Amino acid sequence: MSSKPRLHYFNGRGRMETIRWLLAAAGVEFEESFLEKKEDLTKLQKDGSLLFQQVPMVEMDGMKLVQTRAIANYISTKYNLYGKDLKERALIDMYVEGMFDLNDLLMTYEVQPADKKEQHFANMMDKTENRYFPVFEKVLKDHGRDFLVGNQLSRADVQLLEIILMVEEFKPEIFAKFPLLQSFRERLSHIPTIKKFLQPGSQRKPPSDDDVVDKVMKIFYS
Ligand code: IBG
């Protein structure tokens, strides 16, 4: 029996949260090693565990996987969350690349310096409301199905739900404009593996508080 994947990152969302979501949605149990201080990162860098000296890193199937997208691709392929043919996969790729771009804006809000936060917030909400959410609302409207691609759960759905819930924390009233995203959120939240991940006590991470941001600054930016 192979051992559980082990995730190496700090104890917060950042770039690892999508990986946690995909594993959880696939019903895969995983273990985590949290970086607590700069020396924890230095140790992984020095012992050759990190191909580009960066985390996220996931130990899985005898590999030390790095690069968020590569890790997400591997997990999605392995657990059948990546469409049934080339064309579905191309659609999924387009959707999730948009989601990664939006997620980059959302996840970096917390680590913005105080004088940049307001501008960053305005930009990320503008992009959410006027660039990305209208696309996914339209996809659901046009085909009238439950899932974004191919009428079965894919990584695109999982990654969209992750983003919807993050945006909801920032600006819940936005969903009045996107009724299909609201019902999508409801529907997805009832899938048993996802329902479990949404319950308190799961490995899903909360928004980073000041202590986590402080730790992140010390580990990566000092
Ligand atoms: N392209 C890489 C990926 O997608 O995995 C980028 C990885 C990356 O930027 N990793 C950062 C790192 O290891 C930590 S996450 N830096 C050390 C170094 O020496 O480069 C950075 C991040 C934070 C908060 I902190 C929010 C989003 C990202």
Side-chain angles (χ1 to χ4, degrees):
M1 205 181 77
S2 67
S3 55
K4 295 176 188 172
R6 176 168 289 275
L7 280 45
H8 298 262
Y9 204 61
F10 62 88
N11 188 4
R13 291 177 180 172
R15 294 188 191 281
M16 189 63 100
E17 194 66 358
T18 298
I19 308 294
R20 298 185 184 106
W21 265 99
L22 290 171
L23 287 169
V28 179
E29 290 183 11
F30 58 89
E31 289 169 344
E32 300 193 80
S33 293
F34 297 126
L35 304 180
E36 298 293 344
K37 49 192 188 315
K38 190 160 189 70
E39 293 69 41
D40 297 334
L41 176 64
T42 313
K43 183 174 178 295
L44 288 176
Q45 290 170 330
K46 288 205 169 131
D47 74 12
S49 293
L50 308 177
L51 192 62
F52 300 111
Q53 318 302 326
Q54 293 176 316
V55 289
M57 190 270 277
V58 175
E59 286 183 86
M60 180 171 186
D61 299 340
M63 297 180 285
K64 289 186 175 173
L65 296 168
V66 295
Q67 290 291 354
T68 317
R69 286 163 162 82
I71 302 167
N73 292 350
Y74 181 76
I75 292 166
S76 302
T77 307
K78 179 168 180 178
Y79 296 106
N80 197 24
L81 291 168
Y82 217 162
K84 66 169 174 356
D85 57 33
L86 258 184
K87 286 193 174 175
E88 282 195 3
R89 188 172 165 154
L91 264 187
I92 291 171
D93 280 336
M94 289 197 291
Y95 297 162
V96 301
E97 284 304 317
M99 291 173 202
F100 275 121
D101 288 347
L102 175 56
N103 205 352
D104 271 351
L105 285 173
L106 297 168
M107 79 170 80
T108 51
Y109 172 70
E110 284 159 346
V111 295
Q112 294 299 310
D115 63 329
K116 295 269 162 54
K117 277 203 146 163
E118 200 180 316
Q119 194 195 343
H120 187 98
F121 186 85
N123 179 40
M124 84 191 190
M125 291 321 303
D126 172 51
K127 292 284 178 358
T128 301
E129 214 165 323
N130 300 311
R131 177 173 295 180
Y132 295 103
F133 274 14
V135 170
F136 302 123
E137 179 82 7
K138 184 169 185 310
V139 169
L140 292 170
K141 188 164 194 259
D142 286 353
H143 64 34
R145 292 177 170 164
D146 283 355
F147 303 105
L148 284 170
V149 179
N151 215 18
Q152 66 168 22
L153 184 73
S154 78
R155 63 180 297 185
D157 303 303
V158 178
Q159 291 185 232
L160 180 58
L161 180 62
E162 179 197 357
I163 286 176
I164 287 175
L165 295 175
M166 232 189 295
V167 168
E168 196 177 30
E169 291 167 354
F170 287 118
K171 195 175 173 183
E173 64 275 18
I174 199 178
F175 290 97
K177 288 193 189 161
F178 300 103
L180 297 183
L181 292 186
Q182 209 169 358
S183 47
F184 173 89
R185 171 198 182 291
E186 274 306 302
R187 226 170 25 248
L188 268 275
S189 301
H190 287 104
I191 292 173
T193 50
I194 290 177
K195 192 172 172 185
K196 195 169 162 205
F197 194 54
L198 291 173
Q199 274 155 16
S202 82
Q203 286 161 298
R204 184 178 171 226
K205 304 298 177 242
S208 297
D209 60 19
D210 289 348
D211 286 348
V212 173
V213 173
D214 192 49
K215 208 178 272 185
V216 161
M217 289 302 174
K218 287 188 176 128
I219 297 173
F220 299 107
Y221 299 105
S222 71

